[in-house]
């Protein structure tokens, strides 16, 4: 799908931030797929030069059709020395869309990249934003929230490659499954031989609303050095029927009770 994107992409977003410039207002783009049985292959390229700072927000959606559609976008982020980039994406594709996105950031010395992803729609999503920390004291923070409703499969997570000493990363993944929806966390953390004094924390929490829904966790860690600090934590929660019954006995509807819990 990456090669398909490279062959047919035609438009997208390009942002270049000069050295030491702080962009105070978030930049925004909105992508909508209107064609039936269509494919969308937009490309986003963000370059934050030395010491700069920028926030970018991307929104995606599409109307409902009976035939399937494909979204295979690509995001490239270059974070130069001491720069900071926050990339936010809210994807609410219709349930006939296959969402197969590729996102990657190269982070240099003392640079920081922040990934914020919200996945609500689509028939099936495969999305794992990747940070490659190539400079000392580079940092990556990733927060992903996925909702899987009826006939939806949300396969999301994050990748981090620690390729330099004293690098830091955090991955937080939250998912909600309802009505038979499937949500999966699929993550990858790699620490190279020279990436000593690395710190990495991975936390994935799943919430199941009913007995038909499914939650999966597929963590992968490849550690090739000592003198590091890495932790992985996962939890699955479920709303109890007794809690719902108690609140409904106090006059709340079932939907109000679930929302309150």
């Amino acid at each position: 799908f990456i090669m398909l994107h490279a062959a047919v992409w035609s438009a997208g977003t390009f942002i270049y931030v000069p050295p030491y410039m702080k962009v105070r207002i978030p930049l925004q783009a909105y992508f909508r797929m209107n064609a039936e049985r269509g494919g969308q292959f937009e490309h986003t390229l963000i370059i934050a030069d030395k010491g700069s700072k920028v926030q970018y927000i991307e929104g995606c959606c599409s109307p409902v059709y009976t035939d399937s559609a494909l979204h295979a976008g690509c995001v490239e982020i270059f974070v130069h020395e001491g720069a900071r980039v926050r990339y936010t994406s809210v994807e609410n594709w219709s349930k006939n869309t296959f969402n197969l996105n590729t996102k990657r950031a190269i982070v240099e010395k003392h640079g920081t990249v922040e990934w914020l992803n919200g996945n609500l729609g689509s028939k099936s999503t495969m999305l794992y934003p990747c940070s490659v920390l190539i400079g000392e004291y580079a940092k990556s923070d990733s927060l992903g929230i996925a909702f899987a409703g009826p006939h939806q499969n949300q396969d999301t997570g994050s990748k981090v490659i620690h390729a330099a000493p004293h690098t830091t990363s955090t991955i937080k993944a939250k998912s909600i499954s309802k009505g038979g929806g499937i949500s999966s966390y699929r993550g990858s953390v790699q620490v190279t031989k020279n990436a000593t004094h690395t710190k990495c924390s991975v936390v994935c929490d799943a919430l199941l609303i009913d007995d038909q829904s499914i939650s999966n966790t597929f963590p992968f860690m490849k550690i090739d050095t000592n003198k590091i600090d890495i932790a992985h934590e996962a939890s699955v929660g479920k709303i109890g029927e007794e809690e719902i019954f108690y609140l409904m006995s106090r006059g709340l509807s079932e939907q109000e009770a679930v929302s309150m819990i």
Side-chain angles (χ1 to χ4, degrees), residues 3 64 92 96 106 121 129 131 139 173 190 212 222:
M3 294 300 100
V64 178
N92 190 21
N96 63 297
I106 307 294
S131 300
K139 183 179 180 181
Q190 298 181 46
Q212 293 77 42
K222 186 173 186 294

Side-chain angles (χ1 to χ4, degrees), residues 12 15 50-51 70 156 164 176 193 201 203 214 228 236 246 248:
I15 298 171
K50 186 176 181 179
L70 170 65
T156 60
I176 302 172
K193 292 182 179 180
S201 172
V203 179
I214 298 173
I228 57 169
V236 178
Y246 174 81
M248 292 179 66

